[in-house]
Amino acid sequence: MQFGSRLLTCVLLTTLFAACSDPDASREFSEVRQVDLEEVLRLGNEAAGDTVLFSSISGLMVNSRGEIIVEERRRTSIRVLSSDGVYMNDIGGEGEGPGEYRYIGNTVVGSADSVYVWENLARRVMVYDLNDFFFVRHVVLDDESVKSFMRLKGIVEAGWIMTMRASPFQQMDDGTRTINEDTDYEIRKVELDGSYGQEAIATLQDSEMIYYIGEGNRSFGLVDVPFGRDAIWAMGPNDTFYHGWNDSIHITVTSVDGSVQGLIRHEHDPVFITAAEMEEAQDLEDELFRKLLAEREPHKTKPAFETFVVDEAGNVWVKLSSIENATTADWLILDMESEVVGRAALPITVTLKVIRNGRAYGTEQQEGEDIIVVVYEIQ
């Protein structure tokens, strides 16, 4: 592990910090001030002598004690590190026994610090103790015939929030496949016993992809659309669910009962795709892939944003798309009233995952280097 002293600067309104301590704070302060994000920790840097290294990071969580939980789907492991980066324990392990998993769907930390792991192959949610991370129990979920659970998104009172989706490829009675056009995500609340209602909390558009079935129905697959649009979502405070289609900054806040709690909107300046960027994105070896892309009208602009993360006050930190060869990315911070309460600039290689207890946690991967965990103190 490596402790740093590098300072990054962002512009925040004083109301942001008032809201962090008091969600009902008034807006009597609006003066902009400079606030430093001080890098206090980075983990997984082999060059710095770290002994805990990450081959891939598919999930990053933080509990109330500041302990960092890193999920590595490729390595099939979930590791716990202390708030200062010291390795503590593994959660579960690869296998088929109690508390073990063959494939990690994803990991979530509940409000009371218990850890929940969605195991795709066995179609079950596994629960681990908040103190010693020992396995407690699991619940098997009975999927519908057409739609199945994809990811565990959050823990709410007496249940979980999960996404469901139908497979884009449907198996026919004669053994052939056909493309299913209805692949939108449904957000469902699942009860602690694994049951769930028929009404979705929200419906989210599937990522922009080109699905294909090869000649003679002998092959099938998908092609990513260059600079394609995606549904982005995250859990917020007080059992709320934030979601938006990243073609524009238009984020809906939904309660677990399905009622809309708010709409966060912001006009953005489009970032145009250069010819060099498009050529690189379409540089595919497979002739079929090139043909499929050529049949589609290409995007002229990048998505409005790449991702977002929600802090404890319900503010949304939005990572905006960047121009070609940019070294930093702008993060726009919006409150529930769509007011801009801050801006931050971070290295373009950094993606924030969690903002909690005055710290911002993210991952960083520079070209040709290992992925690492980076932690900033919000001064």
Side-chain angles (χ1 to χ4, degrees), residues 273-290:
I273 303 166
T274 68
E277 288 175 314
M278 183 58 74
E279 182 178 355
E280 181 180 3
Q282 294 180 329
D283 185 18
L284 302 172
E285 295 181 3
D286 192 289
E287 183 178 347
L288 174 60
F289 290 177
R290 291 198 300 270

Side-chain angles (χ1 to χ4, degrees), residues 2 55 64 108 111 135 161 199 206 237 264 305 312 314 354:
Q2 179 180 351
S55 61
S64 65
V108 171
S111 58
F135 175 65
I161 299 297
E199 293 297 324
D206 188 13
I264 301 173
F305 63 93
E312 293 166 292
V354 180

Side-chain angles (χ1 to χ4, degrees), residues 5 13 24 38 48 64 75 90 108 152 158 239 260 282 317:
S5 58
L13 299 182
D24 297 320
E38 181 180 3
S64 65
R75 185 178 283 167
D90 271 20
V108 171
L152 173 67
D239 290 352
V260 174
Q282 294 180 329
W317 296 51

Side-chain angles (χ1 to χ4, degrees), residues 118 123-125 139-143 149 160 162 190 194-195:
W118 167 238
R123 316 304 295 167
R124 62 184 178 179
V125 175
V139 178
V140 177
L141 304 185
D142 183 16
D143 293 340
F149 288 110
W160 315 300
M162 299 192 70
V190 181
S195 62

Side-chain angles (χ1 to χ4, degrees), residues 197-330:
Q198 297 303 309
E199 293 297 324
I201 295 172
T203 300
L204 310 181
Q205 187 174 344
D206 188 13
S207 303
E208 270 192 306
M209 294 183 180
I210 302 173
Y211 297 100
Y212 73 91
I213 296 177
E215 185 178 352
N217 216 270
R218 291 191 296 269
S219 64
F220 63 97
L222 57 88
V223 184
D224 287 329
V225 173
F227 305 98
R229 278 39 173 171
D230 290 297
I232 311 293
W233 58 73
M235 293 298 296
N238 304 317
D239 290 352
T240 52
F241 184 79
Y242 290 59
H243 52 95
W245 181 248
N246 69 352
D247 188 55
S248 62
I249 303 176
H250 185 160
I251 300 168
T252 304
V253 184
T254 306
S255 175
V256 294
D257 63 6
S259 61
V260 174
Q261 301 297 304
L263 296 172
I264 301 173
R265 296 187 178 94
H266 185 79
E267 294 295 325
H268 76 285
D269 294 327
V271 178
F272 288 91
I273 303 166
T274 68
E277 288 175 314
M278 183 58 74
E279 182 178 355
E280 181 180 3
Q282 294 180 329
D283 185 18
L284 302 172
E285 295 181 3
D286 192 289
E287 183 178 347
L288 174 60
F289 290 177
R290 291 198 300 270
K291 179 177 181 294
L292 291 170
L293 289 178
E295 294 172 351
R296 181 187 176 95
E297 182 70 25
H299 286 292
K300 293 182 173 57
T301 62
K302 297 179 182 180
F305 63 93
E306 294 183 15
T307 188
F308 65 74
V309 61
V310 183
D311 66 22
E312 293 166 292
N315 301 309
V316 184
W317 296 51
V318 183
K319 184 179 184 180
L320 303 178
S321 289
S322 302
I323 61 172
E324 184 182 18
N325 298 325
T327 58
T328 60
D330 290 329

Side-chain angles (χ1 to χ4, degrees), residues 30-294:
S30 60
E31 181 182 355
V32 176
R33 62 171 179 160
Q34 296 281 352
V35 177
D36 292 324
L37 292 180
E38 181 180 3
E39 183 186 300
V40 294
L41 184 65
R42 52 177 49 217
L43 307 168
N45 187 353
E46 186 175 14
D50 289 357
T51 56
V52 177
L53 305 176
F54 308 110
S55 61
S56 62
I57 297 178
S58 50
L60 182 65
M61 289 68 60
V62 180
N63 64 20
S64 65
R65 299 187 292 268
E67 293 162 347
I68 303 168
I69 300 171
V70 181
E71 171 198 291
E72 293 184 87
R73 195 171 301 153
R74 187 184 304 166
R75 185 178 283 167
T76 318
S77 70
I78 306 169
R79 292 188 274 184
V80 184
L81 301 102
S82 68
S83 60
D84 55 3
V86 177
Y87 170 78
M88 296 173 57
N89 201 356
D90 271 20
I91 298 176
E94 188 173 7
E96 298 184 24
E100 295 178 334
Y101 33 76
R102 290 174 292 164
Y103 179 81
I104 303 169
N106 67 299
T107 308
V108 171
V109 175
S111 58
D113 283 350
S114 293
V115 178
Y116 299 76
V117 176
W118 167 238
E119 213 252 318
N120 267 11
L121 293 180
R123 316 304 295 167
R124 62 184 178 179
V125 175
M126 295 184 286
V127 186
Y128 300 84
D129 184 80
L130 71 160
N131 293 314
D132 53 22
F133 306 107
F134 286 173
F135 175 65
V136 176
R137 62 188 176 91
H138 75 257
V139 178
V140 177
L141 304 185
D142 183 16
D143 293 340
E144 294 180 355
S145 57
V146 176
K147 296 181 180 178
S148 58
F149 288 110
M150 303 296 293
R151 289 182 66 82
L152 173 67
K153 290 308 300 178
I155 313 303
V156 297
E157 185 177 354
W160 315 300
I161 299 297
M162 299 192 70
T163 61
M164 298 189 80
R165 195 191 70 165
S167 170
F169 302 101
Q170 295 293 107
Q171 187 85 25
M172 308 301 288
D173 292 338
D174 61 1
T176 61
R177 292 182 176 87
T178 184
I179 296 175
N180 178 17
E181 301 293 340
D182 181 13
T183 57
D184 287 351
Y185 288 93
E186 291 185 355
I187 312 303
R188 299 283 187 93
K189 179 185 177 184
V190 181
E191 306 297 331
L192 294 178
D193 62 0
S195 62
Y196 57 95
Q198 297 303 309
E199 293 297 324
I201 295 172
T203 300
L204 310 181
Q205 187 174 344
D206 188 13
S207 303
E208 270 192 306
M209 294 183 180
I210 302 173
Y211 297 100
Y212 73 91
I213 296 177
E215 185 178 352
N217 216 270
R218 291 191 296 269
S219 64
F220 63 97
L222 57 88
V223 184
D224 287 329
V225 173
F227 305 98
R229 278 39 173 171
D230 290 297
I232 311 293
W233 58 73
M235 293 298 296
N238 304 317
D239 290 352
T240 52
F241 184 79
Y242 290 59
H243 52 95
W245 181 248
N246 69 352
D247 188 55
S248 62
I249 303 176
H250 185 160
I251 300 168
T252 304
V253 184
T254 306
S255 175
V256 294
D257 63 6
S259 61
V260 174
Q261 301 297 304
L263 296 172
I264 301 173
R265 296 187 178 94
H266 185 79
E267 294 295 325
H268 76 285
D269 294 327
V271 178
F272 288 91
I273 303 166
T274 68
E277 288 175 314
M278 183 58 74
E279 182 178 355
E280 181 180 3
Q282 294 180 329
D283 185 18
L284 302 172
E285 295 181 3
D286 192 289
E287 183 178 347
L288 174 60
F289 290 177
R290 291 198 300 270
K291 179 177 181 294
L292 291 170
L293 289 178

